[in-house]
Amino acid sequence: MEIIDAHLHLPRPWSQWKHGDEAFLDLQTELLLGQMDAAGVDAAVIISDPHVAPAQWCAAATARHPDRLATVLVCDESAPDIADQVASARENPGVLGLRITTAWPPGNVERLRAGAYDRLLSTAEKHGVPVCVLGAGDLPDVAVVARAYPTLPLIIDHLGLNQPPFMPTDNPPWRCLGQLLALADLPNVSVKLSGAPTLSDTPYPYPDIWPHLRQVLDAFGVDRCMWGTDQHRVFGRLHGFDPVPRYPGYHSYAQGLHYLLDRDEFSEAEKTALFGGTLRKIMGWPTVPASSPTPSPTG
């Protein structure tokens, strides 16, 4: 069974990377692929970020490994040519969609309400470009967007909940789950289960989060749910944390996979959808034949 991580970030801050530094790019790409191999992950979607994961790096990495890596881009919605950027986004190899954030910076949802994202969203709907949404606490506003653009695929990141270590959890952590469940009636909305173990107060395999995930799976179905980890937010060095402080849901990459993969509640068909099939369908990522290894200089 193919396993695709629907949501991860790069293993470290990328301020040191300079466009054209091929050796550094190759090294860090191999580091990422090595971590995926060790955890048993076949492919992954990298979330670009202007400050942490530049689009140029993501484009270069996906071009080198189109069978294993794809990316979601963050665009400047206020750019004069944003409609052209969105219209041509899927023409770039490995680009599956775009991402908007209402949860960050604080108060950004007010810009959404004021129409700052209208050109991006309307063009994305016209051209069938999926849009991922980081919108913890703002899901009623996401519902408004989903109804305004009923054929636009919207994908809710991280269950639409605040998750540590960068966002303080709600009290209790699943307090706003009802906002997510209310979106299940909108057929163009799907959800990533990314980062769920960070909301656990118990050790691996995090049994306390299962009743909540079961609600999500029952509401949306596996055909609108995607497994993901949000690696490397939950493990490793990122954004000045050296290392990220431990918290109850701190976990390894493999644990972020097997807490769900090893559950016996799923049929094989359900696992096939949840761990990759749904992502390929909704985000339109076709299967790419594995590239042939590059011969060594010595043959």
Side-chain angles (χ1 to χ4, degrees):
M1 182 183 68
E2 182 181 46
I3 295 177
I4 303 177
D5 191 339
H7 192 113
L8 58 71
H9 295 274
L10 302 179
R12 57 173 296 170
W14 285 89
S15 59
Q16 300 177 25
W17 182 70
K18 301 295 188 294
H19 187 53
D21 188 343
E22 300 296 323
F24 186 73
L25 172 62
D26 286 339
L27 174 64
Q28 299 301 333
T29 304
E30 291 304 317
L31 173 63
L32 176 60
L33 294 174
Q35 292 173 329
M36 291 165 55
D37 289 340
V41 175
D42 298 302
V45 179
I46 305 168
I47 308 301
S48 82
D49 183 282
H51 305 293
V52 181
Q56 299 98 319
W57 185 94
C58 294
T62 56
R64 283 166 167 76
H65 303 277
D67 57 318
R68 302 203 63 189
L69 298 175
T71 190
V72 165
L73 300 179
V74 176
C75 299
D76 178 2
E77 70 284 348
S78 65
D81 65 339
I82 186 60
D84 293 334
Q85 289 185 46
V86 175
S88 62
R90 293 298 298 267
E91 297 174 6
N92 300 311
V95 174
L96 301 183
L98 307 175
R99 191 192 201 202
I100 66 173
T101 67
T102 64
W104 187 264
N108 202 40
V109 69
E110 298 294 342
R111 299 185 63 255
L112 176 72
R113 294 168 183 165
Y117 291 90
D118 286 357
R119 285 188 301 153
L120 183 154
L121 294 167
S122 61
T123 309
E125 182 181 42
K126 178 180 178 181
H127 293 276
V129 180
V131 174
C132 301
V133 184
L134 179 64
D138 302 320
L139 295 189
D141 292 281
V142 177
V144 173
V145 171
R147 293 188 180 97
Y149 305 98
T151 63
L152 172 63
L154 288 171
I155 304 166
I156 307 301
D157 291 344
H158 313 330
L159 297 151
L161 301 173
N162 287 312
Q163 297 180 356
F166 305 123
M167 301 293 289
T169 56
D170 294 321
N171 186 19
W174 299 83
R175 177 172 59 87
C176 293
L177 182 60
Q179 292 185 4
L180 176 68
L181 300 178
L183 298 180
D185 290 335
L186 301 169
N188 58 325
V189 177
S190 55
V191 58
K192 295 178 191 170
L193 308 184
S194 45
T198 66
L199 302 175
S200 176
D201 288 325
T202 59
Y204 177 86
Y206 325 115
D208 60 326
I209 69 174
W210 177 244
H212 307 290
L213 291 183
R214 183 73 268 175
Q215 291 184 70
V216 176
L217 290 162
D218 288 345
F220 285 87
V222 293
D223 290 334
R224 287 197 289 153
C225 289
M226 310 173 193
W227 168 79
T229 61
D230 203 17
Q231 197 79 354
H232 292 76
R233 169 177 64 90
V234 299
F235 183 78
R237 301 184 180 197
L238 187 64
H239 290 304
F241 288 82
D242 191 17
V244 171
R246 290 184 178 272
Y247 49 94
Y250 182 98
H251 60 278
S252 72
Y253 197 4
Q255 288 172 326
L257 168 62
H258 285 278
Y259 85 94
L260 196 57
L261 181 64
D262 293 346
R263 295 197 70 91
D264 58 11
E265 287 89 347
F266 302 111
S267 69
E268 194 67 19
E270 289 173 324
K271 286 186 177 182
T272 298
L274 186 59
F275 290 95
T278 296
L279 182 145
R280 286 205 184 273
K281 179 187 69 176
I282 291 177
M283 303 201 75
W285 188 6
T287 301
V288 179
S291 55
S292 300
T294 302
S296 68
T298 59

